Amino acid sequence: GAVVSQHPSRVICKSGTSVKIECRSLDFQATTMFWYRQFPKQSLMLMATSNEGSKATYEQGVEKDKFLINHASLTLSTLTVTSAHPEDSSFYICSARGAPPYYEQYFGPGTRLTVT
Amino acid sequence: AQSVTQLGSHVSVSEGALVLLRCNYSSSVPPYLFWYVQYPNQGLQLLLKYTTGATLVKGINGFEAEFKKSETSFHLTKPSAHMSDAAEYFCAVSDGRNFNKFYFGSGTKLNVKP
Protein backbone atom coordinates (compact mmCIF):
# COMPACT_ATOMS: atom_id res chain seq x y z
CA GLY A 1 0.00 0.00 0.00
CA ALA A 2 0.83 3.71 0.16
CA VAL A 3 1.98 4.18 -3.42
CA VAL A 4 2.65 7.63 -4.82
CA SER A 5 3.24 8.20 -8.51
CA GLN A 6 4.68 11.14 -10.38
CA HIS A 7 4.38 12.06 -14.00
CA PRO A 8 6.43 12.65 -16.01
CA SER A 9 9.57 10.97 -14.73
CA ARG A 10 11.75 13.11 -16.97
CA VAL A 11 11.03 16.29 -18.86
CA ILE A 12 13.16 18.59 -20.98
CA CYS A 13 11.80 22.00 -21.82
CA LYS A 14 13.03 25.22 -23.34
CA SER A 15 13.77 28.28 -21.27
CA GLY A 16 10.69 30.45 -20.84
CA THR A 17 8.13 27.68 -21.11
CA SER A 18 6.04 26.16 -18.31
CA VAL A 19 6.07 22.58 -17.12
CA LYS A 20 3.47 20.74 -15.06
CA ILE A 21 4.33 17.79 -12.83
CA GLU A 22 1.62 15.56 -11.42
CA CYS A 23 1.70 13.73 -8.11
CA ARG A 24 -0.91 11.09 -7.33
CA SER A 25 -1.58 8.93 -4.30
CA LEU A 26 -2.77 5.67 -5.83
CA ASP A 27 -4.21 3.71 -2.94
CA PHE A 28 -4.94 6.20 -0.19
CA GLN A 29 -6.38 9.64 0.26
CA ALA A 30 -3.68 12.21 0.82
CA THR A 31 -4.90 15.05 2.94
CA THR A 32 -1.49 16.66 2.71
CA MET A 33 1.05 16.62 -0.08
CA PHE A 34 4.54 18.01 -0.13
CA TRP A 35 6.88 19.14 -2.85
CA TYR A 36 10.62 18.86 -2.46
CA ARG A 37 13.55 19.82 -4.58
CA GLN A 38 16.78 17.87 -4.53
CA PHE A 39 20.03 19.18 -5.93
CA PRO A 40 22.74 16.75 -7.01
CA LYS A 41 24.30 14.95 -4.09
CA GLN A 42 22.29 16.96 -1.62
CA SER A 43 19.38 16.40 0.67
CA LEU A 44 15.77 17.27 0.06
CA MET A 45 14.60 20.83 0.41
CA LEU A 46 10.94 21.31 1.23
CA MET A 47 9.39 23.76 -1.21
CA ALA A 48 5.77 23.79 -0.16
CA THR A 49 3.00 21.97 1.65
CA SER A 50 -0.47 21.65 0.22
CA ASN A 51 -3.72 20.54 1.76
CA GLU A 52 -6.62 19.45 -0.40
CA GLY A 53 -8.80 22.39 -1.32
CA SER A 54 -6.50 24.97 0.28
CA LYS A 55 -3.76 27.25 -0.91
CA ALA A 56 -0.28 25.85 -0.61
CA THR A 57 2.07 27.01 2.12
CA TYR A 58 5.44 27.89 0.68
CA GLU A 59 8.76 27.72 2.48
CA GLN A 60 10.80 30.85 2.86
CA GLY A 61 12.66 31.71 -0.29
CA VAL A 62 10.43 29.73 -2.64
CA GLU A 63 8.71 31.90 -5.23
CA LYS A 64 5.02 31.09 -5.16
CA ASP A 65 4.40 32.75 -8.50
CA LYS A 66 7.05 30.62 -10.11
CA PHE A 67 6.15 27.30 -8.53
CA LEU A 68 2.38 27.01 -8.72
CA ILE A 69 0.89 24.23 -6.63
CA ASN A 70 -2.65 22.97 -6.92
CA HIS A 71 -4.06 20.23 -4.66
CA ALA A 72 -7.36 19.75 -6.43
CA SER A 73 -8.38 16.44 -4.92
CA LEU A 74 -7.40 13.99 -2.20
CA THR A 75 -5.34 12.03 -4.69
CA LEU A 76 -3.80 14.66 -6.96
CA SER A 77 -1.44 17.58 -6.55
CA THR A 78 0.32 19.41 -9.36
CA LEU A 79 3.42 21.56 -9.46
CA THR A 80 3.77 23.95 -12.37
CA VAL A 81 7.12 25.55 -12.98
CA THR A 82 6.32 28.75 -14.83
CA SER A 83 8.70 30.53 -17.18
CA ALA A 84 11.34 27.94 -16.48
CA HIS A 85 15.02 28.86 -16.54
CA PRO A 86 18.10 26.63 -16.55
CA GLU A 87 18.58 27.21 -12.82
CA ASP A 88 15.22 25.50 -12.25
CA SER A 89 16.71 22.28 -13.54
CA SER A 90 16.54 19.83 -10.68
CA PHE A 91 15.00 16.65 -9.30
CA TYR A 92 11.53 17.34 -7.95
CA ILE A 93 9.98 14.87 -5.53
CA CYS A 94 6.50 14.87 -4.11
CA SER A 95 5.27 13.08 -1.04
CA ALA A 96 1.88 12.43 0.43
CA ARG A 97 0.52 11.79 3.85
CA GLY A 98 -2.89 10.61 4.93
CA ALA A 99 -4.89 11.88 7.86
CA PRO A 100 -3.42 11.47 11.36
CA PRO A 101 -2.28 9.20 12.92
CA TYR A 102 -0.31 8.51 9.76
CA TYR A 103 2.89 10.40 10.42
CA GLU A 104 5.14 9.16 7.68
CA GLN A 105 5.36 10.63 4.25
CA TYR A 106 5.26 8.41 1.19
CA PHE A 107 7.39 9.62 -1.65
CA GLY A 108 6.93 9.57 -5.37
CA PRO A 109 9.71 8.43 -7.70
CA GLY A 110 10.67 11.98 -8.62
CA THR A 111 10.74 14.04 -11.80
CA ARG A 112 13.98 15.11 -13.42
CA LEU A 113 13.48 18.54 -15.00
CA THR A 114 16.05 19.86 -17.44
CA VAL A 115 15.61 23.37 -18.82
CA THR A 116 17.66 24.15 -21.91
CA ALA B 1 13.70 23.86 15.97
CA GLN B 2 14.64 20.43 14.73
CA SER B 3 17.77 19.45 12.88
CA VAL B 4 19.48 16.26 11.80
CA THR B 5 23.16 15.43 11.46
CA GLN B 6 24.33 12.38 9.60
CA LEU B 7 27.96 11.62 10.27
CA GLY B 8 29.77 10.36 7.22
CA SER B 9 28.56 11.29 3.77
CA HIS B 10 30.03 8.04 2.44
CA VAL B 11 30.25 4.68 4.19
CA SER B 12 31.82 1.63 2.61
CA VAL B 13 31.42 -1.92 3.94
CA SER B 14 32.11 -5.39 2.64
CA GLU B 15 29.28 -7.70 1.75
CA GLY B 16 28.26 -9.59 4.89
CA ALA B 17 29.67 -6.96 7.24
CA LEU B 18 27.77 -4.88 9.75
CA VAL B 19 26.18 -1.70 8.48
CA LEU B 20 26.07 1.28 10.84
CA LEU B 21 24.78 4.63 9.66
CA ARG B 22 24.77 7.40 12.21
CA CYS B 23 22.06 9.95 12.83
CA ASN B 24 21.90 12.54 15.57
CA TYR B 25 19.09 14.98 15.97
CA SER B 26 18.20 18.04 17.93
CA SER B 27 14.64 18.68 18.94
CA SER B 28 12.95 20.82 21.53
CA VAL B 29 10.03 18.39 21.72
CA PRO B 30 9.77 14.59 21.61
CA PRO B 31 10.82 13.74 18.09
CA TYR B 32 9.38 11.42 15.52
CA LEU B 33 12.27 9.82 13.64
CA PHE B 34 12.49 8.19 10.24
CA TRP B 35 14.99 6.49 7.98
CA TYR B 36 14.49 6.55 4.24
CA VAL B 37 16.47 4.92 1.45
CA GLN B 38 16.90 6.39 -2.02
CA TYR B 39 18.12 4.46 -5.04
CA PRO B 40 19.53 6.42 -7.99
CA ASN B 41 16.98 8.58 -9.77
CA GLN B 42 14.20 7.37 -7.54
CA GLY B 43 12.12 8.78 -4.72
CA LEU B 44 12.53 7.88 -1.08
CA GLN B 45 11.31 4.64 0.45
CA LEU B 46 10.49 4.43 4.14
CA LEU B 47 12.73 1.95 5.95
CA LEU B 48 11.47 2.42 9.48
CA LYS B 49 10.10 4.93 11.91
CA TYR B 50 10.00 5.72 15.60
CA THR B 51 7.06 7.60 17.06
CA THR B 52 6.45 6.31 20.58
CA GLY B 53 6.85 3.08 22.51
CA ALA B 54 9.63 0.58 21.97
CA THR B 55 12.90 2.34 21.28
CA LEU B 56 14.29 -0.44 19.07
CA VAL B 57 12.40 -0.43 15.81
CA LYS B 58 12.66 -2.92 13.03
CA GLY B 59 12.17 -2.02 9.43
CA ILE B 60 12.22 -3.55 6.02
CA ASN B 61 15.14 -5.38 4.43
CA GLY B 62 16.62 -6.39 7.81
CA PHE B 63 17.34 -2.86 9.02
CA GLU B 64 16.71 -1.66 12.52
CA ALA B 65 17.34 1.50 14.50
CA GLU B 66 17.40 2.40 18.15
CA PHE B 67 16.14 5.65 19.58
CA LYS B 68 18.46 6.81 22.36
CA LYS B 69 17.08 9.91 23.97
CA SER B 70 20.10 10.48 26.21
CA GLU B 71 22.38 10.48 23.18
CA THR B 72 19.88 12.16 20.84
CA SER B 73 20.67 9.46 18.34
CA PHE B 74 18.80 7.19 15.95
CA HIS B 75 21.49 5.09 14.29
CA LEU B 76 20.57 2.64 11.55
CA THR B 77 22.05 -0.86 11.57
CA LYS B 78 21.94 -4.08 9.63
CA PRO B 79 23.88 -7.15 10.77
CA SER B 80 24.96 -8.30 7.33
CA ALA B 81 25.23 -6.03 4.29
CA HIS B 82 23.99 -7.15 0.92
CA MET B 83 25.01 -5.75 -2.43
CA SER B 84 21.44 -4.53 -2.95
CA ASP B 85 21.77 -2.29 0.12
CA ALA B 86 24.00 0.09 -1.82
CA ALA B 87 22.00 3.33 -1.92
CA GLU B 88 21.70 6.68 -0.20
CA TYR B 89 20.12 6.79 3.23
CA PHE B 90 18.40 9.77 4.79
CA CYS B 91 17.48 10.29 8.41
CA ALA B 92 14.58 12.64 9.10
CA VAL B 93 12.95 14.13 12.15
CA SER B 94 9.61 15.78 12.70
CA ASP B 95 8.06 16.99 15.87
CA GLY B 96 4.89 15.63 17.35
CA ARG B 97 3.00 18.84 16.83
CA ASN B 98 3.79 19.70 13.26
CA PHE B 99 3.90 16.62 11.13
CA ASN B 100 4.26 18.77 8.07
CA LYS B 101 7.83 19.64 8.82
CA PHE B 102 10.30 16.92 8.04
CA TYR B 103 13.90 17.87 8.54
CA PHE B 104 16.24 15.68 6.53
CA GLY B 105 19.87 14.97 7.16
CA SER B 106 22.35 15.45 4.36
CA GLY B 107 22.35 11.76 3.53
CA THR B 108 24.86 8.91 3.70
CA LYS B 109 25.81 7.02 0.62
CA LEU B 110 26.39 3.36 1.38
CA ASN B 111 28.76 1.40 -0.81
CA VAL B 112 28.89 -2.37 -0.48
CA LYS B 113 32.01 -4.10 -1.71
CA PRO B 114 31.92 -7.68 -2.93
Side-chain angles (χ1 to χ4, degrees):
Chain A
V3 178
V4 176
S5 70
Q6 271 183 252
H7 179 80
S9 57
R10 290 177 177 271
V11 58
I12 301 172
C13 70
K14 291 182 185 285
S15 188
T17 62
S18 295
V19 173
K20 181 184 283 189
I21 302 169
E22 290 188 350
C23 177
R24 293 182 184 271
S25 57
L26 298 184
D27 51 3
F28 68 104
Q29 293 187 324
T31 55
T32 307
M33 287 185 165
F34 308 85
W35 287 95
Y36 292 85
R37 185 172 178 176
Q38 187 178 30
F39 293 98
K41 300 182 181 180
Q42 292 189 31
S43 190
L44 283 74
M45 180 191 80
L46 178 64
M47 298 175 65
T49 302
S50 71
N51 292 295
E52 185 262 339
S54 303
K55 287 186 178 179
T57 301
Y58 290 81
E59 294 299 299
Q60 193 171 7
V62 178
E63 298 176 61
K64 58 182 67 176
D65 293 332
K66 181 166 192 60
F67 298 100
L68 301 179
I69 291 170
N70 186 349
H71 193 158
S73 75
L74 285 172
T75 59
L76 173 65
S77 177
T78 60
L79 167 68
T80 302
V81 182
T82 63
S83 187
H85 288 95
E87 57 265 30
D88 299 325
S89 298
S90 192
F91 195 52
Y92 292 88
I93 304 176
C94 74
S95 71
R97 193 189 72 213
Y102 303 107
Y103 309 115
E104 59 266 33
Q105 295 182 20
Y106 295 95
F107 287 80
T111 295
R112 173 75 60 193
L113 170 62
T114 304
V115 184
T116 61
Chain B
Q2 283 71 37
S3 68
V4 177
T5 302
Q6 289 184 241
L7 288 175
S9 59
H10 289 79
V11 170
S12 187
V13 301
S14 298
E15 192 173 19
L18 171 72
V19 175
L20 170 61
L21 305 183
R22 299 178 186 275
C23 172
N24 288 86
Y25 69 91
S26 69
S27 177
S28 56
V29 297
Y32 287 20
L33 296 155
F34 307 82
W35 274 101
Y36 286 88
V37 60
Q38 184 181 34
Y39 296 97
N41 295 311
Q42 293 186 28
L44 277 66
Q45 180 183 8
L46 179 67
L47 276 178
L48 50 78
K49 66 179 186 283
Y50 168 79
T51 54
T52 58
T55 56
L56 180 64
V57 293
K58 295 185 185 298
I60 61 172
N61 301 338
F63 285 94
E64 62 182 38
E66 186 171 11
F67 168 57
K68 291 188 177 180
K69 184 178 178 180
S70 61
E71 299 177 9
T72 62
S73 69
F74 190 58
H75 302 330
L76 182 71
T77 60
K78 181 174 181 177
S80 176
H82 192 271
M83 297 296 291
S84 60
D85 294 327
E88 185 138 28
Y89 293 80
F90 292 94
C91 181
V93 63
S94 72
D95 68 42
R97 296 171 304 183
N98 185 3
F99 305 126
N100 285 346
K101 287 283 191 179
F102 267 45
Y103 298 86
F104 282 90
S106 54
T108 297
K109 193 163 189 177
L110 175 66
N111 178 45
V112 182
K113 299 175 289 186

